Amino acid sequence: VPGVNKLIKPKTRSLLGVFEEDAAAISKYSQQLFQAMHRIYDAQNELSAATHLTSKLLKGYEKQRFPLCCDDEVMSSTLQQFAKVIDELSSCHAVLSTQLADAMMFPITQFKERDLKEILTLKEVFQIASDDHDMAINRYSRLSKRRDNEKVKGEVMEDVYTSRKKQHQTMMHYFTALNTLQYKKKMSLLEPLLGYMQAQISFFKLGSENLTQQWEDFLTDIGTSVQKDLKRLDSLQEMAGEVDVMQQTIQDMEQANDLLYMPDPDPSLVPVNRNLTRKAGYLNTRNKTGLVSSSWERQYFFTQGGNLMSQARGDVAGGLVMDIDNCSVMAVDCEDRRFCFQITSFDAVVSLNNTVLCSSFLPQWIATINNISKRIYLSENPEEIAARVNQSALEAVTPSPSFQQRHESLRPSTWTSLFGPGTASPALSVLSLDALVAPNTPIQFDIISPVSEEDAGQAKAAGLGRRTNPFGESGGTPAEESSILHQLFFARFLGCMEVQNADSSDVIYETMRQILAARAIHNIFRMTESHLLVTCECLKLIDPQTQVTRLRFPLSSVVLCAAHQENKRLFGFVLQTAEGRVDGRPIIVCYIFESNNDGEKICDSVGLAKQIAFHSEMDRKATEKKKEQDRAKEKQQEELSKQKQIEKDLEEQSRLIAAFSRPTPLAAGTDGQFLVLSNSQSEDSDAGVEGREKGESEA
């Protein structure tokens, strides 16, 4: 008999249908056999009554008076002998009728009226209980958190409790009756036949003189077979003991499952198993019925490997709903339903909204789908590996004397740093946790605005909040559009927190441990999925649905990046700002993500971007230096040209001064020759004459 958690699974309903079909066939066959045996019994009673009437008529022959016949004593004596023989035969038939009634009709009538009728009654009661349970579940599922009435909620929960308990009790008794029928059907069919054979044997023994040896041997063989079958009837007593044990088991199961009858039991009394890699149960899934309208449909869902399957009532097998390998699952808020969670495929194409019946089932479904998404089910011992992973996440965040002891279960043997595999620091054994993460540091589990005004300004200047093409074709800054590296990854934001320094990759490992532990302790399963775009200028987190840039991290501010080697999908990077505090100390924040790809590939991509940016910066500096040198040379050439021009002007001025310092010759020489003056000399001479005349006038 299944427990309450497997009340009406499709597999159980299919098996129940087989049992009900078998019970219906047995009932139909038993009814036909009962009618045939009843005809035998009626015929035997009619034969006994007819024989007795014949004997009575033969005995009354002598009292008859025939007008045309005289008294015939021989005839009367003969008829009296026949009457005696027939009377003895009538007595034998009467005994046979009594034996048939006791040995043949009574067992099959009891089987028909008690066992088969009980199954039909239990079937009707079970159907009524199932309908009441479905009505109570539908009424409870329609409870809205906005119109939550405590009185109505209490009545609905009491109705669910009563209907579920009634259905479980009725189901267990119904299944017990069906199982008992499998044991009883052989005995119940053989017992009337054996009674019929025994009655016939007793009847024929009265006239065994007329039976041949062949019939006696045949009846002897039948008797031997009957004796063997009669020994099997002793198993009914053993079955009675098993029925008592089963009744006790039913009572124990009712007491053990009493808490599970409540639709929303106390989480402290019903522990959550987070190590499952397989899960099955009924969920309410949202189906769109129009552009803006939707409806909820209750279906049976189960996981099979890395697939989520569903099976409607009446279906023989389940169908594929979506592939949950590398998917993301998170708890979401719905206006019309409680306990909702959303499953998104790895390529963000398929999204499924589901609700569970009670709050205790929500973390189980989310944890199971997370374990399947990590492909733990492919290992040899999936539950053991899931338990180890969850145990690592559930370790309490408490100080320990040694840093290595804190990281014994989480820290891998080798790690991937920003530019390649790194080595442990020699002073790691004495490094305290306070030097990595300050005590009582708050953890941010969702993406909000940047942590500093400078980052906010940079993000705003970089186009935060506007649509961006993730492949860098358009919509970005000119430097980003000209970037030679554009790599896109899927990443789910786990959280971020402020750290003390960025000197070692152990800062990232400790941040991973604390964020995972905090998520597990506080039952935080919601994660923000984004596209991580790596370029030579910056790192961008882009909304996969709207293509809006959520956050932008300048690549120059990313000082450290590392990935976990055991859980290769975990990676993180440290962002350091130059300013941000009043005291001038930089703000250092560590961001942790979970990706669908290998985290080392993302770190390698970031390292490659840093290297490309470094070489680009070196080339830019070399180009600028060369340009400065060229400008210095040009400036030096200009200075030399100016110096040469100045020297040339000085020489020309000296020549002119020397020319003015000599005596002025006459217009005509003594030798009768004339001297031709230049324009400049004539102008100077005119100026000199005017000056002298002016001086004389002033005197």
Side-chain angles (χ1 to χ4, degrees):
V1 179
V4 71
N5 289 330
K6 301 179 181 178
L7 276 178
I8 46 178
K9 292 172 53 178
K11 183 178 180 181
T12 306
R13 286 188 176 274
S14 299
L15 186 60
L16 177 61
V18 175
F19 274 78
E20 289 179 345
E21 184 179 359
D22 184 73
I26 294 174
S27 178
K28 181 178 179 181
Y29 180 79
S30 299
Q31 181 66 25
Q32 295 175 354
L33 185 62
F34 173 81
Q35 293 177 358
M37 290 185 175
H38 200 275
R39 290 183 62 184
I40 294 174
Y41 177 68
D42 292 340
Q44 185 60 41
N45 287 334
E46 185 66 21
L47 180 60
S48 177
T51 305
H52 179 69
L53 180 60
T54 302
S55 175
K56 184 179 180 181
L57 291 175
L58 291 176
K59 288 180 180 181
Y61 178 80
E62 58 182 1
K63 298 179 180 180
Q64 295 295 324
R65 296 293 184 259
F66 299 101
L68 298 178
C69 184
C70 60
D71 294 338
D72 191 355
E73 295 181 356
V74 176
M75 185 64 180
S76 297
S77 175
T78 302
L79 292 178
Q80 289 295 326
Q81 292 295 328
F82 273 103
K84 183 178 180 181
V85 173
I86 292 174
D87 190 39
E88 291 178 358
L89 290 175
S90 176
S91 300
C92 293
H93 284 295
V95 173
L96 179 59
S97 297
T98 304
Q99 291 179 349
L100 289 177
D102 296 337
M104 182 180 69
M105 295 306 299
F106 178 78
I108 195 170
T109 302
Q110 191 178 21
F111 174 69
K112 175 176 173 293
E113 296 295 330
R114 184 184 65 184
D115 298 329
L116 296 180
K117 190 173 182 180
E118 180 185 6
I119 289 177
L120 293 177
T121 304
L122 289 175
K123 181 179 179 180
E124 294 177 358
V125 175
F126 174 72
Q127 185 64 36
I128 294 173
S130 298
D131 295 339
D132 294 342
H133 176 259
D134 291 341
M135 292 176 60
I137 290 298
N138 291 332
R139 185 181 177 189
Y140 178 78
S141 299
R142 289 194 297 269
L143 284 177
S144 176
K145 62 181 180 181
R146 295 184 301 176
R147 303 188 301 272
D148 200 1
N149 191 337
E150 295 297 327
K151 183 178 179 180
V152 175
K153 181 180 178 182
E155 292 176 357
V156 172
M157 293 179 67
E158 184 66 22
D159 191 13
V160 173
Y161 172 82
T162 304
S163 61
R164 182 175 287 178
K165 185 174 182 179
K166 180 180 177 182
Q167 184 193 24
H168 191 206
Q169 292 175 346
T170 307
M171 180 194 66
M172 289 188 290
H173 289 291
Y174 182 39
F175 287 5
T176 302
L178 290 175
N179 291 331
T180 305
L181 180 63
Q182 299 303 314
Y183 290 97
K184 282 188 175 182
K185 65 179 182 180
K186 289 185 178 180
M187 306 308 169
S188 300
L189 296 178
L190 290 177
E191 187 177 1
L193 296 176
L194 293 175
Y196 173 77
M197 295 303 299
Q198 289 291 340
Q200 293 294 340
I201 290 172
S202 299
F203 175 76
F204 288 128
K205 280 185 177 180
L206 296 177
S208 59
E209 294 84 0
N210 298 328
L211 299 178
T212 60
Q213 186 66 32
Q214 180 180 0
W215 282 101
E216 290 181 356
D217 296 338
F218 174 75
L219 293 177
T220 301
D221 296 338
I222 294 295
T224 303
S225 176
V226 167
Q227 292 298 328
K228 291 181 180 180
D229 292 334
L230 287 175
K231 291 180 180 179
R232 297 177 183 175
L233 294 176
D234 296 337
S235 61
L236 293 176
Q237 299 178 355
E238 299 178 0
M239 189 178 62
E242 294 181 0
V243 170
D244 295 338
V245 175
M246 190 174 296
Q247 293 293 338
Q248 184 63 35
T249 304
I250 290 175
Q251 295 179 2
D252 296 340
M253 291 179 65
E254 288 179 357
Q255 296 177 0
N257 295 325
D258 189 68
L259 291 174
L260 300 178
Y261 292 133
M262 292 297 296
D264 195 5
D266 188 359
S268 61
L269 300 178
V270 182
V272 178
N273 188 359
R274 304 179 185 275
N275 306 329
L276 299 176
T277 55
R278 291 184 298 175
K279 182 69 176 173
Y282 278 94
L283 298 174
N284 293 325
T285 180
R286 185 193 294 272
N287 296 323
K288 289 187 177 180
T289 57
L291 294 177
V292 295
S293 61
S294 62
S295 63
W296 293 89
E297 182 181 0
R298 188 166 180 259
Q299 289 187 0
Y300 182 80
F301 287 83
F302 61 95
T303 61
Q304 185 174 7
N307 299 323
L308 180 64
M309 315 287 287
S310 68
Q311 184 174 356
R313 181 177 294 185
D315 292 348
V316 179
L320 176 64
V321 178
M322 63 183 299
D323 183 6
I324 54 178
D325 275 344
N326 294 326
C327 73
S328 63
V329 58
M330 66 183 72
V332 295
D333 294 331
C334 295
E335 295 182 356
D336 54 346
R337 291 297 171 112
R338 300 179 300 168
F339 315 132
C340 300
F341 66 96
Q342 182 180 14
I343 309 173
T344 305
S345 61
F346 69 96
D347 52 2
V349 174
V350 181
S351 181
L352 189 68
N353 288 343
N354 299 301
T355 65
V356 295
L357 184 62
C358 61
S359 58
S360 61
F361 292 159
L362 181 62
Q364 282 190 0
W365 273 101
I366 294 178
T368 302
I369 295 175
N370 273 328
N371 293 335
I372 296 175
S373 177
K374 297 174 183 176
R375 298 186 177 183
I376 298 178
Y377 67 92
L378 298 175
S379 58
E380 295 181 357
N381 298 318
E383 292 188 1
E384 181 180 351
I385 295 177
R388 187 165 63 249
V389 172
N390 292 327
Q391 183 64 28
S392 299
L394 286 172
E395 288 182 355
V397 186
T398 55
S400 61
S402 173
F403 179 82
Q404 291 180 348
Q405 292 179 0
R406 291 289 304 275
H407 293 78
E408 183 177 356
S409 60
L410 180 66
R411 181 181 175 185
S413 58
T414 59
W415 297 87
T416 303
S417 63
L418 185 59
F419 296 101
T423 58
S425 174
L428 187 59
S429 59
V430 297
L431 186 61
S432 64
L433 295 178
D434 294 344
L436 298 177
V437 180
N440 301 323
T441 301
I443 299 176
Q444 177 183 323
F445 294 108
D446 201 358
I447 295 178
I448 58 175
S449 59
V451 296
S452 67
E453 296 181 358
E454 179 182 356
D455 292 337
Q458 292 176 356
K460 184 176 181 181
L464 181 62
R466 58 185 174 85
R467 296 186 179 274
T468 304
N469 191 327
F471 299 99
E473 296 176 358
S474 63
T477 62
E480 293 176 6
E481 292 181 3
S482 61
S483 177
I484 63 175
L485 178 65
H486 283 84
Q487 289 189 346
L488 190 68
F489 303 95
F490 286 95
R492 289 179 287 275
F493 181 71
L494 296 178
C496 66
M497 60 188 303
E498 188 175 350
V499 296
Q500 296 288 348
N501 59 68
D503 298 334
S504 173
S505 300
D506 294 286
V507 174
I508 298 178
Y509 311 148
E510 176 63 17
T511 307
M512 286 180 182
R513 192 188 67 79
Q514 292 199 20
I515 289 177
L516 292 177
R519 278 183 168 270
I521 292 172
H522 299 289
N523 293 328
I524 300 175
F525 301 101
R526 184 173 183 176
M527 294 182 291
T528 303
E529 185 166 356
S530 304
H531 289 166
L532 178 62
L533 180 63
V534 180
T535 66
C536 298
E537 299 294 332
C538 64
L539 303 180
K540 280 187 178 182
L541 289 179
I542 303 173
D543 191 332
Q545 301 294 334
T546 62
Q547 299 300 319
V548 172
T549 302
R550 291 172 172 167
L551 284 180
R552 180 182 182 275
F553 307 107
L555 195 62
S556 59
S557 301
V558 180
V559 297
L560 197 62
C561 183
H564 197 290
Q565 188 175 8
E566 292 181 358
N567 188 356
K568 296 185 178 181
R569 300 197 303 174
L570 289 179
F571 73 97
F573 57 83
V574 178
L575 188 71
Q576 180 175 347
T577 59
E579 297 178 356
R581 299 185 187 273
V582 179
D583 55 3
R585 292 190 296 110
I587 295 178
I588 306 175
V589 181
C590 183
Y591 291 83
I592 303 300
F593 296 87
E594 181 185 22
S595 67
N596 296 338
N597 309 95
D598 193 349
E600 294 181 356
K601 294 181 179 179
I602 299 178
C603 291
D604 292 341
S605 177
V606 176
L608 179 60
K610 293 282 285 187
Q611 291 180 5
I612 294 175
F614 175 75
H615 290 297
S616 299
E617 183 67 19
M618 294 298 294
D619 294 340
R620 185 184 64 81
K621 289 182 178 180
T623 303
E624 291 181 354
K625 186 176 180 181
K626 185 177 180 181
K627 290 181 179 179
E628 290 179 358
Q629 292 178 355
D630 293 340
R631 287 195 295 269
K633 289 181 179 180
E634 291 177 358
K635 188 175 181 180
Q636 187 177 4
Q637 292 293 335
E638 292 177 357
E639 293 291 336
L640 291 175
S641 299
K642 290 180 179 180
Q643 186 67 25
K644 290 181 179 179
Q645 185 66 30
I646 291 172
E647 292 178 355
K648 185 176 180 181
D649 293 340
L650 290 175
E651 291 178 357
E652 184 67 20
Q653 186 176 6
S654 300
R655 187 179 64 80
L656 292 175
I657 293 172
F660 281 115
S661 63
R662 292 195 299 268
T664 303
L666 295 175
T670 57
D671 54 357
Q673 294 181 352
F674 293 91
L675 178 66
V676 181
L677 299 177
S678 62
N679 293 332
S680 59
Q681 291 176 352
S682 61
E683 291 175 357
D684 292 339
S685 299
D686 295 339
V689 172
E690 291 176 357
R692 285 193 299 268
E693 291 178 352
K694 185 177 181 181
E696 291 176 355
S697 63
E698 288 178 356

